[in-house]
């Protein structure tokens, strides 16, 4: 069952704030907060939702979205498929995610993370990342790889091969350092 925009934004709020903002708090966030990743996520979700809207509406929404992308230092295409509950704990994070990437629900992405293609193999084949995955600071996920659910990718690690569910990986290239039970 596909979730609507409001449900996805509420899921993001719970992951980032621990509670759902009321209408006044949401308005204050959008109009006055300068550097709150939750503000960026709202604009991302709206731009993602407007992907199939008429060209004029999509153009206006994209212009606002790209302004905030530049301001926050995030390069995430509005076409990217990201499940609800995304947590971006740092603003100005230098996060780059390819437009063809698929990211599951309740994931956390730290600063300076890249999810991209392997230009030597294919410019369009990129990662599929499962639910409840944490990409720690500086980690890179390169090429057509699959990362299972409940995975932690250690800081500055480079993932170039598939990662199974319930693992912690680290290193260059990333290797399993521990299995976790959930």
């Amino acid at each position: 069952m596909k979730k609507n925009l409001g449900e996805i934004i509420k899921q993001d709020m719970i992951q980032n704030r621990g509670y759902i903002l009321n209408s006044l708090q949401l308005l204050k966030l959008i109009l006055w907060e300068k550097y709150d990743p939750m503000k960026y996520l709202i604009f991302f979700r709206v731009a993602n939702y407007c992907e199939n809207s008429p060209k004029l509406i999509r153009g206006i929404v994209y212009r606002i979205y790209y302004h905030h992308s530049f301001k926050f230092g995030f390069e995430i295409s509005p076409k990217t498929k990201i499940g609800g509950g995304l947590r971006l704990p740092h603003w100005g994070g230098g996060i780059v995610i390819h437009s063809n990437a698929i990211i599951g629900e309740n994931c956390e992405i730290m600063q300076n993370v890249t999810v991209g293609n392997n230009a030597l193999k294919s410019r369009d084949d990129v990662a599929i990342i499962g639910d409840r995955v944490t990409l720690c600071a500086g980690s890179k996920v390169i090429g057509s790889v699959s990362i299972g659910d409940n995975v932690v990718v250690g800081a500055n690690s480079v993932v170039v091969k598939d990662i199974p569910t319930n693992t912690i990986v680290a290193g260059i290239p990333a290797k399993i350092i521990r299995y976790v039970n959930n």
Side-chain angles (χ1 to χ4, degrees):
M1 181 173 110
K2 187 171 179 168
K3 295 180 182 178
N4 67 32
L5 179 63
E7 290 172 350
I8 291 173
I9 290 175
K10 285 178 182 177
Q11 196 174 351
D12 289 343
M13 285 181 200
I14 290 169
Q15 280 295 103
N16 285 276
R17 296 289 179 96
Y19 59 93
I20 297 172
L21 300 174
N22 64 36
S23 300
L24 187 59
Q25 291 169 323
L26 188 59
L27 187 62
K28 180 182 174 193
L29 172 74
I30 291 170
L31 295 178
W32 287 288
E33 291 291 330
K34 288 188 176 182
Y35 301 110
D36 187 331
M38 188 64 229
K39 179 177 182 176
Y40 170 80
L41 278 173
I42 290 169
F43 286 113
F44 168 76
R45 296 300 184 186
V46 171
N48 186 266
Y49 182 78
C50 291
E51 177 62 30
N52 296 320
S53 296
K55 192 174 183 179
L56 177 64
I57 293 170
R58 191 174 60 238
I60 293 167
V61 170
Y62 277 19
R63 183 167 293 261
I64 294 167
Y65 170 70
Y66 285 124
H67 166 77
H68 285 86
S69 286
F70 180 77
K71 179 177 165 182
F72 280 85
F74 299 147
E75 188 178 324
I76 305 172
S77 169
K79 296 176 183 178
T80 306
K81 293 178 178 76
I82 301 176
L86 178 64
R87 185 165 188 275
L88 303 172
H90 307 283
W91 69 271
I95 296 171
V96 178
I97 300 177
H98 194 280
S99 61
N100 293 346
I102 299 172
I103 299 174
E105 293 193 348
N106 299 318
C107 291
E108 182 170 10
I109 301 175
M110 304 289 184
Q111 70 274 17
N112 298 319
V113 168
T114 299
V115 178
N117 61 14
N118 182 340
L120 299 176
K121 294 182 179 177
S122 170
R123 295 199 180 272
D124 295 325
D125 291 338
V126 293
I128 297 174
I129 299 172
D131 297 337
R132 296 169 305 284
V133 172
T134 299
L135 300 174
C136 293
S139 61
K140 311 293 183 244
V141 180
I142 307 297
S144 180
V145 298
S146 176
I147 297 177
D149 297 340
N150 305 314
V151 172
V152 175
V153 177
N156 296 316
S157 298
V158 179
V159 177
V160 292
K161 293 183 181 177
D162 292 351
I163 305 296
T165 298
N166 298 325
T167 55
I168 298 173
V169 299
I172 304 173
K175 293 182 172 95
I176 297 170
I177 59 172
R178 187 180 329 156
Y179 287 92
V180 293
N181 296 327
N182 276 357

